[in-house]
Amino acid sequence: TYNVCEVYPGPNLNVILGANGTGKSSIVCAICLGLAGKPSFLGRADKIGLFVKQGCMKGKVEIELFKSPENVTITREIYAVNNTSEWFINGKPTILKTVEEQIAALNIQVDNLCQFLPQDKVGEFTKLSKTELLEATEKSVGSPEMYQFHCELKNFREKERELEVNTTLESHDCRKSKINFTWRCYRIRRCLCREKTISLEKMKQRVERYKQDVDRYHEYKRHVDLIEMLERKRPWVEYENVREQHEEVKQSRNQVKKELKRLKETQAPQTKKIQEAEENLKSLDMKIRDNTAEIRNISQKSNEKQDALEMKDKQVEEINQAFRMKKDEEANRQKKIHQTQKIIEEWKNELDAMAVCENLQPQIVAVNIELRKLQEERANTDNEISDLRAEKTNQEREEKRIIDRLGQLNNIMHMKEENLKVRFRDTHTALMWLRKNKDKFKKKTCEPMMLEINVKDSRHAKYIESHISSNDMRAFVFESQEDMETFLAETRDHQKLRVNAVCAPAESCAENLPSRPIEELRRYGFYSYLRELFDAPHPVMSYLCAQYHVHDVPVGTEKTRDMIERVIRETNVRNMYTAEERYSIKISHYSKQKLSSNSCLRDAQFLTSSVDTDERRQLENQQQDISNVLKSLDARLTALFERQKHLEHKDNRLRQEKKELLERGNRRRQLESKIAVKYDSLRQLEQDAIDLEKEFKLANVKIKEINKQKGELVAELMHLMKRIIPLNVVKVALTLQMTRMTAEKNRLQSVCKEGSVQLRAAQQHFHELDSRKQLLYEKCVELLKQARQVCGLGPDQDFPEEFQVAFRTLPNTLEEIDAYLNEEKNRASCFTGLSASVVEEYSRQTREIEQLSEYLEGKKTELNNYKQNISQVKEKWLNLLKVMIEKINGKFSKFFSSMQCVGEVDLHVENEEEYEKYGIRIRVKFHSSAELHELTPYHHSGGEKTVS
């Protein structure tokens, strides 16, 4: 509303008057925000930047507060972009916390509805509970210590409850089941002190009952201890039995060992002979192996010599093969010489027979001239084809651009149709039927106006939608009444669709002129009439001009709104638009005064996407023209391609003719050249002759050298054969000797076999006894380990004296120990249901009784102290509170009596000890026949609540 405003409040009551939208609330908002208030205190916006004037980047609030000895000036600069603020006190930068401390020191509470009540928070004030109303009143008009006393009372009362009410008290309940007792823990929440005293007496009684269970447990423990001692001795007795068995087996093993030694001494001579035979066999085996290795080495060398002989034979064969290839090469050379001489003879005969070459130059010149003309004609044709192709490419590119643009327009149209389908399904169904049945209508038909109207600027869509009713926005437009009736009969009567249809005026109104030119209204901020802001088919525009006078409704700006009273007074415009509002002016039939009404414009719903129909129609025409041009270009290109093909055939024919003429003139020169080349080739062949006799002698020399080397290899091979024969003879002799020695060894072993049977039997008996001795030893070690573990002894620890004394009184055999153990276990099993927890619980209960007794004494003393504090603070607080409420009630009643009404304010108390539930109750009576009622959001009207 304004850029700068400065307000000087006076003493007592200040009233700000003004029409709607003149900025009264802006002053209230500035007071709240300038005094460190949050946007939520005002109930208007949630972000601080929204309080800055539209179009501005920042706003500023400066408030001067009275304070002795020097006033305080608080400045707040608000930035709309990032919703931040900067604070200043007396012109110096500061932080929000410092500002809040300054304001709190002056007892300013903008968040207290009893001190600061914005227009949008009146409803919240009436919803305050009695308790909240009392606290807000204490903060706003009460003395500082009053609210402090109230808080102390609530805290004292809470402490008193904690003292009277034990937050957690753990107790245990025991239930007896047969002999053994089990304990079930449970928590008793919020048990009063007197209940704790009762619980203490019960716990003492319960401990007396526990004592009998403790005595029975000690008797049970004696039986268990005896069982443990018997279980400790049992493994020692078992160990001693196994140890005695081990000693017996050990003695038997030693006797068998002596017998085994005697048998081995008897078998010693025969065994010695067998060992000597085995050593001789090993010596013979080594000799045979050495002899075999020598034979294998000589055989390998013999094989190498044989391989060398075979390689020499291959070398001889290669020399012979090389000589045969040279013989074949010389034969081929002689054959080529003969063929070359024959070809030269034939070409000479042809050259002698050829007549003198005739003059072919005139014919060649004529063909060249015709070829040049043909090339020029082909070049012209190629240029013409290139030009037509370039033109076709340009036309195709333009056609693609038009198709793309039409696609964009069709997409916009599709979006508008989808919007129509979602909002008005029957209208969309009728549209689909109309498009398929346009042949049934005589004159032009128009689709729903929301599809036909195209806004030139989307910002203007809200003006048009505000001016035209939603029923007409979805109405079909017809030029003839007959067509409209046909359409409605099909859609409404036959298909039962809810559709609207209108008929354009018989006499067109689309070109109607406004009552005055727009230039006369520009000084008021108007820039156009409504009709100029959109396009539509002629029937639609004619209907809108006749029905809504769109040609005579001006559209203005913020300037128009700022001077709206002057516009209404000086112009005779009945309907107009500013940037965000619509104004309608009527003249009273009685007073002849102008009555204006305004309404805010809503965002557009139907015309947010618009299609330029003229552009679309123009593009479709251009597409058709381009299509015709492309067909013409294709026909011309086809003709040129045919001509190009004809010229190419003619060019090939002339070139062939020229080639033949040139070949006829060049034939003699070619023959002479070829004959010269063949003579050169013949001379080269004659120079490459091979001397076969010389080559034969060289081959024989190489073969003799190789044969000499073969003779040396044969001599070496014979020498190796002579060496290998004696070695084979020695090998046979050694093999025979080894066979005789093996037979002797077998004879000795058969003789010694009978004594070995008795020896093996003794060895087997010895091994069995030795294994059994080892097993018994390991068992002894294991049993000793177990016995020590049962008694809790370490590996090197001596056997305790107390165990030795205890073991002397116990049986010494396993049978007696097991019988005694079973007897004690049966006795112990009679004491069922007992455990060590009985004794522990007995001790714990005794300790709890002592602790609870001390706790109750301390809490009683502390409770008496808190009650004394509460009574002192309560007296001070109630004295101050009653004086304040009496003063408020006196003024409140006086104000209501001046309005011929009744009002009272009193202190509401439900329970004198519940200080957090104290509250202020407001009771009012606005009618003489009514009763005094408590002020509530539900019983009283909005005006009554606001006045109260």
Side-chain angles (χ1 to χ4, degrees), residues 890-907:
K891 293 185 177 182
F892 191 74
S893 300
K894 181 181 176 182
F895 294 151
F896 264 73
S897 63
S898 67
M899 297 186 294
Q900 306 302 318
C901 300
V902 179
E904 289 183 0
V905 176
D906 60 3
L907 181 64

Side-chain angles (χ1 to χ4, degrees), residues 790-805:
V790 170
C791 295
L793 301 177
D796 301 326
Q797 188 176 355
D798 294 334
F799 197 71
E801 183 67 25
E802 60 183 53
F803 283 174
Q804 294 179 11
V805 173

Side-chain angles (χ1 to χ4, degrees), residues 153-328:
L153 278 173
K154 290 189 286 185
N155 292 334
F156 284 153
R157 179 56 183 161
E158 186 64 28
K159 290 288 185 180
E160 185 181 13
R161 286 197 192 95
E162 291 177 0
L163 292 173
E164 289 179 347
V165 181
N166 190 13
T167 55
T168 57
L169 174 63
E170 292 189 356
S171 182
H172 294 80
D173 183 21
C174 62
R175 292 185 178 179
K176 189 171 182 181
S177 175
K178 297 182 181 178
I179 299 175
N180 190 23
F181 284 93
T182 59
W183 304 88
R184 184 174 61 87
C185 296
Y186 68 99
R187 289 186 180 273
I188 303 175
R189 298 278 180 186
R190 308 186 68 81
C191 175
L192 297 177
C193 287
R194 59 178 174 272
E195 292 177 354
K196 288 187 178 181
T197 305
I198 296 171
S199 177
L200 180 61
E201 294 299 326
K202 290 181 179 179
M203 289 171 68
K204 290 179 179 178
Q205 297 173 6
R206 194 180 301 124
V207 166
E208 289 298 324
R209 292 197 303 270
Y210 291 165
K211 189 174 181 182
Q212 183 181 0
D213 295 335
V214 171
D215 294 339
R216 293 181 69 250
Y217 176 76
H218 287 316
E219 184 180 356
Y220 164 74
K221 192 70 170 60
R222 284 194 294 273
H223 290 292
V224 172
D225 292 341
L226 182 56
I227 290 170
E228 289 179 356
M229 192 57 66
L230 286 168
E231 288 177 344
R232 285 174 179 159
K233 183 173 181 179
R234 191 181 189 284
W236 287 101
V237 174
E238 190 176 359
Y239 160 72
E240 186 62 26
N241 293 338
V242 174
R243 190 186 65 79
E244 292 174 356
Q245 294 177 18
H246 173 265
E247 289 298 327
E248 293 176 0
V249 172
K250 183 177 179 182
Q251 292 178 2
S252 299
R253 170 183 168 279
N254 292 336
Q255 292 176 0
V256 173
K257 186 176 181 181
K258 292 178 181 179
E259 179 66 17
L260 183 63
K261 183 177 180 183
R262 186 185 63 78
L263 291 172
K264 285 184 177 180
E265 290 175 353
T266 304
Q267 290 287 102
Q270 296 293 333
T271 305
K272 184 176 180 181
K273 291 181 180 180
I274 293 172
Q275 289 177 351
E276 290 176 355
E278 288 178 348
E279 288 176 359
N280 292 332
L281 284 173
K282 287 182 181 178
S283 175
L284 289 173
D285 184 61
M286 290 298 296
K287 291 179 180 179
I288 291 172
R289 288 182 181 180
D290 293 340
N291 184 269
T292 303
E294 183 68 18
I295 292 171
R296 190 182 299 111
N297 186 24
I298 295 172
S299 298
Q300 185 177 358
K301 290 181 180 180
S302 300
N303 292 334
E304 291 175 357
K305 298 301 180 182
Q306 290 178 353
D307 294 338
L309 284 172
E310 291 178 358
M311 183 60 67
K312 296 301 180 182
D313 291 337
K314 289 182 179 179
Q315 290 178 358
V316 172
E317 180 61 28
E318 288 175 357
I319 293 170
N320 292 329
Q321 180 67 22
F323 179 71
R324 285 195 295 273
M325 289 176 65
K326 286 186 178 181
K327 284 177 67 177
D328 293 339

